[in-house]
Amino acid sequence: MYAPICSLNRTATNMPSNSRGVFSLIIINKAGGLIYQREFQSGLRNLSTNDYLVLAGTFHGVHAITRSITPKIPISQPAPSPATSSTGTTAPATSSYSYPNPGVPVSGLDYLETDKFRLTCFQTLTGTKFLLFTDPLTGSVDTIIQKIYELYADYVMKNPFYQIEMPVRCEAFDRHLGAWLRGRA
């Protein structure tokens, strides 16, 4: 029999489907500073503001390190032709390196999963990182984080009073984010 892997003061079998899901959201600016943090339901340990600041800075560093150690795979280039050079030898094939998915930009740590929670990181083109803590059984996390990003773009980035890279203090964002997460089931 399958045992539930989430035991955060409740079990996955007796938990209503709409209560399972998002625990917390953290937004980190491109310099690694915490600009937004919100808890949506109990389950994870309560952290102090200082703990969240340390978490944001630490994750930013780990993300940068994992991005820089992405291996390049050797790709051998075919020789132009088996023509011989003036010395009578054949020209060797040249070798170059490429990332595993050449069309996809290199990213760092995308997600971390434990039996208690899943941490998903979404990095925007400007370097802002969205860290979403969810129940490991929550499906379509990518869709959830995309919607959160859309709400952020609509209510924070379009706010004429918001200063980029500064803490997010936008009541409309908080209200719409909370309503959307409560309404999704």
Side-chain angles (χ1 to χ4, degrees), residues 29 34-36 162-163 165-170:
N29 65 17
L34 178 68
I35 60 172
Y36 184 82
Y162 176 68
Q163 293 179 347
E165 303 296 316
M166 297 304 291
V168 174
R169 307 258 191 267
C170 182

Side-chain angles (χ1 to χ4, degrees), residues 59 63 66 107-114 117-122 131-132 134 141-142:
F59 185 85
H63 190 270
T66 57
S107 69
L109 182 64
D110 291 329
Y111 70 91
L112 177 102
E113 188 167 335
T114 72
F117 69 91
R118 177 183 170 120
L119 166 65
T120 304
C121 176
F122 170 72
L131 304 181
L132 190 66
T134 60
V141 175
D142 291 337

Side-chain angles (χ1 to χ4, degrees), residues 17-109:
S17 64
N18 61 356
S19 69
R20 186 183 335 152
V22 177
F23 296 128
S24 183
L25 171 68
I26 296 175
I27 303 177
I28 304 172
N29 65 17
K30 66 181 175 186
L34 178 68
I35 60 172
Y36 184 82
Q37 180 280 318
R38 181 171 173 192
E39 294 177 5
F40 298 100
Q41 57 179 297
S42 62
L44 295 178
R45 256 166 120 198
N46 291 334
L47 298 177
S48 69
T49 303
N50 191 47
D51 291 335
Y52 279 111
L53 291 168
V54 170
L55 177 62
T58 302
F59 185 85
H60 179 74
V62 170
H63 190 270
I65 290 168
T66 57
R67 181 183 173 145
S68 69
I69 63 173
T70 299
K72 287 186 175 182
I73 300 171
I75 299 175
S76 57
Q77 308 261 332
S81 67
T84 57
S85 66
S86 61
T87 59
T89 61
T90 59
T94 60
S95 175
S96 64
Y97 295 88
S98 175
Y99 289 112
N101 297 323
V104 177
V106 178
S107 69
L109 182 64

